[in-house]
Amino acid sequence: MTPQGGYKDPTPIVSNALGGTANLSGQGGPSSGFNNDMGKQNTKITLVRHGTTQMNSGNVIRSWKDIPLNDQGRAEAEKIGKELKGKNIDGIVTSDLSRARETAEAIARHTGKPILEISSKYRPWNLGKYTGKDVKTAAPIIQDYTLNKPGEKVAGGGESFETFRNRFLSAIKEVGDKYKGKNIAVVAHHRNDRLLAAWEKKGYPKDLGIDTKTFIQHGMEPATARKIVLERRYSKVKKLADKL
């Protein structure tokens, strides 16, 4: 397991399913196809999970609750910011929730790179009434929604798993299209990491299907990062060995 505050270099996840699409979010994003200009048009993403909050320490569901980093989380954010300095980051996009935004601001300070987007597109799954509940209690319920009721909204004003999946993966597609040839730090949340990992495990199907076992497993620790390479050609999947 990667220790808190560490940088995992690299985890080369190469997607052949992030091909050019029309704007899927309805928010004026880019609408461009992939081209075959090998290395120049690849988009690298450094996926960062935000630092620790009081709710992380209590092992309860954070979801869309807007809670700041605690003292430990702020120290972790500074540490990952320092570790990303010199890693050829071109810019940062982040969830608009304060714990992610504070982590992004620390990365921006240490790398000297701008925050390009602050958006709700990078939020985690809205788990409605289960926000604030103990993880052990909520986990089987979340698993039931994922496996058996993916199109059903989570009780208490939440969103369906399909809505979360389509929202976040569409946002990642937009990053791939909008920032061709760049290395973009995406600061997001635990379930965003799990969603990408589960999609990868399934082989990046175009219907956005995932490996549900991977999705419900524990993923990145707070304030850690891993690399994802969006291959601009979708004729085959090819792992890239270059390091950040």
Side-chain angles (χ1 to χ4, degrees):
M1 180 177 293
T2 305
Q4 289 189 355
Y7 175 68
K8 188 176 180 182
D9 183 12
T11 302
I13 302 176
V14 183
S15 174
N16 68 336
L18 295 176
T21 61
N23 173 34
L24 297 178
S25 70
Q27 298 183 18
S31 174
S32 58
F34 278 7
N35 62 51
N36 291 323
D37 190 2
M38 289 291 287
K40 292 182 180 179
Q41 295 299 315
N42 290 337
T43 304
K44 296 177 183 177
I45 287 177
T46 299
L47 182 67
V48 183
R49 184 183 174 189
H50 65 77
T52 297
T53 71
Q54 196 60 42
M55 289 180 75
N56 289 87
S57 299
N59 201 31
V60 297
I61 299 293
R62 281 80 60 192
S63 186
W64 281 23
K65 189 172 180 62
D66 195 11
I67 49 174
L69 300 177
N70 60 14
D71 289 343
Q72 177 184 342
R74 286 189 286 272
E76 291 168 348
E78 293 297 318
K79 188 172 188 291
I80 193 64
K82 291 175 181 177
E83 291 181 355
L84 291 176
K85 183 179 180 179
K87 298 296 184 182
N88 299 318
I89 301 294
D90 294 300
I92 304 157
V93 303
T94 180
S95 161
D96 63 338
L97 296 177
S98 58
R99 57 194 185 269
R101 192 175 65 250
E102 289 179 59
T103 304
E105 289 167 353
I107 295 170
R109 283 196 301 274
H110 288 288
T111 62
K113 301 301 181 180
I115 296 177
L116 303 170
E117 299 178 32
I118 301 173
S119 175
S120 60
K121 295 182 294 186
Y122 307 104
R123 286 187 181 192
W125 189 359
N126 182 353
L127 290 169
K129 73 176 187 179
Y130 301 103
T131 302
K133 302 294 185 183
D134 179 80
V135 169
K136 289 184 179 179
T137 301
I141 300 169
I142 294 168
Q143 182 175 347
D144 183 47
Y145 274 103
T146 303
L147 294 174
N148 304 317
K149 300 181 289 187
E152 182 176 325
K153 290 183 178 180
V154 176
E159 64 183 340
S160 71
F161 170 75
E162 289 180 350
T163 297
F164 164 54
R165 179 194 64 188
N166 295 343
R167 167 175 57 79
F168 180 64
L169 294 184
S170 294
I172 293 297
K173 289 180 179 183
E174 289 180 359
V175 170
D177 280 342
K178 189 173 182 179
Y179 303 107
K180 292 183 178 72
K182 303 296 184 181
N183 183 0
I184 304 298
V186 176
V187 185
H189 306 262
H190 181 258
R191 295 192 193 281
N192 302 85
D193 160 57
R194 291 294 78 211
L195 185 59
L196 279 172
W199 193 34
E200 175 203 8
K201 184 72 173 180
K202 196 74 170 180
Y204 303 106
K206 292 182 179 180
D207 66 358
L208 305 182
I210 67 161
D211 179 76
T212 51
K213 184 177 180 180
T214 299
F215 180 72
I216 62 177
Q217 291 174 345
H218 184 73
M220 297 171 68
E221 295 296 317
T224 57
R226 62 188 178 94
K227 187 178 75 171
I228 299 166
V229 179
L230 308 187
E231 172 59 68
R232 304 310 300 177
R233 296 194 308 159
Y234 53 86
S235 58
K236 65 178 181 178
V237 176
K238 183 182 71 174
K239 289 190 175 182
L240 303 181
D242 59 309
K243 295 182 180 291
L244 290 174

